[in-house]
């Protein structure tokens, strides 16, 4: 954490950052959210990880979510909003938060604005072709869930996790059919809410086709902070 953000969090004089990452699948929202989390010292919450965590629980809600994830389908907006409202009400996000992949549509946006207001919406822009190419190389550790990419973020040993040596696998929802479906939904349902955020004057657009490092630097400039090296 940089000095300026240490002092900021120490005195707590300004509004906490409430940051949303949006963009096509594969633009690196999760990676950049993690980097910004390190930079600003506030938690990054991944909608996908939150859903997968819930799905691993032996509860009626967990089982319902598991069925959607296995089918590569998006969860109903009411369910996502419910999960997110509970998460953003916890103690660890009182000084700010970063969320990636939420809100995804008008209904989720209405749900979000009912309990909080974001201060920044960062859009990682990527063409559909680039998005599909990137998702095809995405892998996740079957044990600790750390994310990798065979081209952009390869593990040190092929097919194995750097952290725990677990086997790297393709996520259930990264099949070509599921990817096409998610891109269509992004254009139809998420792009209109970006227009609404633009009217609020809180949108920052970054070229998602740049390297992870370059994107990180461009985002750091938005927050007037030095770059974090994870
Ligand atoms: Zn691992």
């Amino acid at each position: 954490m940089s000095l300026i953000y240490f002092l900021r969090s120490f005195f707590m004089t300004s509004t906490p950052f409430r940051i949303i990452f949006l963009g096509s699948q594969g633009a690196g929202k999760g990676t950049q959210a993690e980097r910004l989390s390190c930079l600003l010292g506030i938690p990054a919450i991944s909608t996908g990880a939150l859903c997968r965590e819930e799905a691993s629980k032996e509860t009626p809600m967990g089982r319902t979510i598991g069925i959607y994830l296995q089918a590569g389908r998006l969860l109903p907006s009411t369910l996502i909003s419910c999960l997110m409202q509970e998460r953003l009400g916890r103690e660890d996000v009182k000084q700010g938060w970063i969320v990636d992949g939420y809100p995804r549509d008008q209904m989720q946006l209405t749900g979000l604005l009912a309990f909080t207001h974001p201060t920044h919406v960062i859009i990682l822009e990527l063409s559909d072709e680039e998005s599909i190419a990137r998702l095809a190389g995405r892998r996740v550790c079957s044990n600790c869930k750390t994310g990798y990419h065979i081209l952009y973020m390869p593990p040190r040993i092929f097919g194995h996790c750097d952290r725990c040596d677990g086997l790297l696998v393709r996520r259930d929802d990264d099949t070509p059919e599921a990817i096409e479906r998610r891109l269509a939904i992004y254009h139809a349902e998420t792009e209109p809410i970006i227009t609404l955020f633009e009217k609020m004057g809180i949108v920052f657009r970054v070229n998602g086709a740049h390297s992870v490092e370059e994107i990180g630097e461009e985002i750091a400039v938005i927050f007037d902070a030095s770059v974090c090296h994870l």
Side-chain angles (χ1 to χ4, degrees):
M1 202 188 321
S2 64
L3 180 62
I4 186 166
Y5 285 100
F6 173 75
L7 291 172
R8 182 182 170 279
S9 59
F10 188 77
F11 291 110
M12 295 191 301
T13 50
S14 50
T15 311
F17 287 131
R18 295 186 293 268
I19 304 162
I20 289 169
F21 273 85
L22 292 177
S24 296
Q25 301 286 325
K29 296 187 293 287
T31 303
Q32 295 299 338
E34 287 292 336
R35 291 169 71 100
L36 191 58
S37 163
C38 160
L39 186 67
L40 302 180
I42 54 178
I45 298 153
S46 149
T47 310
L50 192 63
C51 292
R52 285 190 288 276
E53 181 192 313
E54 195 65 33
S56 69
K57 295 177 187 168
E58 281 298 314
T59 61
M61 191 194 253
R63 279 192 287 273
T64 305
I65 293 172
I67 291 167
Y68 279 95
L69 293 183
Q70 286 226 319
R73 289 175 56 197
L74 293 165
L75 268 65
S77 290
T78 45
L79 202 55
I80 297 266
S81 288
C82 193
L83 276 179
M84 204 48 90
Q85 183 164 3
E86 187 278 324
R87 181 64 189 88
L88 296 180
R90 290 187 210 165
E91 199 59 37
D92 65 332
V93 295
K94 289 276 183 286
Q95 299 310 315
W97 45 256
I98 302 166
V99 164
D100 95 67
Y102 172 88
R104 194 186 66 216
D105 58 26
Q106 179 66 53
M107 195 182 280
Q108 292 183 13
L109 174 63
T110 305
L112 173 78
L113 296 180
F115 66 92
T116 189
H117 282 76
T119 57
H120 298 72
V121 177
I122 299 171
I123 316 291
L124 297 186
E125 298 185 296
L126 205 60
S127 69
D128 283 6
E129 294 71 29
E130 182 81 2
S131 185
I132 290 163
R134 288 187 175 205
L135 289 180
R138 199 154 74 162
R139 298 290 182 274
V140 65
C141 172
S142 54
N143 182 40
C144 74
K145 309 302 175 198
T146 299
Y148 294 88
H149 193 284
I150 55 176
L151 292 179
Y152 308 114
M153 207 187 292
R156 282 193 295 270
I157 300 166
F158 180 79
H160 289 266
C161 177
D162 291 349
R163 291 190 183 170
C164 75
D165 201 38
L167 276 183
L168 302 188
V169 295
R170 185 181 272 205
R171 271 175 21 189
D172 291 343
D173 53 353
D174 274 352
T175 61
E177 298 75 26
I179 294 167
E180 296 266 359
R181 203 159 47 233
R182 292 205 304 271
L183 279 172
I185 290 172
Y186 179 79
H187 293 308
E189 298 181 7
T190 306
E191 281 175 353
I193 70 161
I194 293 173
T195 309
L196 295 175
F197 281 131
E198 266 175 335
K199 287 182 182 151
M200 298 178 196
I202 55 174
V203 168
F204 300 83
R205 291 181 183 272
V206 176
N207 188 341
H210 289 168
S211 71
V212 170
E213 293 297 326
E214 286 168 331
I215 295 172
E217 285 171 21
E218 287 173 45
I219 292 170
V221 168
I222 296 168
F223 296 92
D224 193 23
S226 56
V227 176
C228 174
H229 294 284
L230 276 181

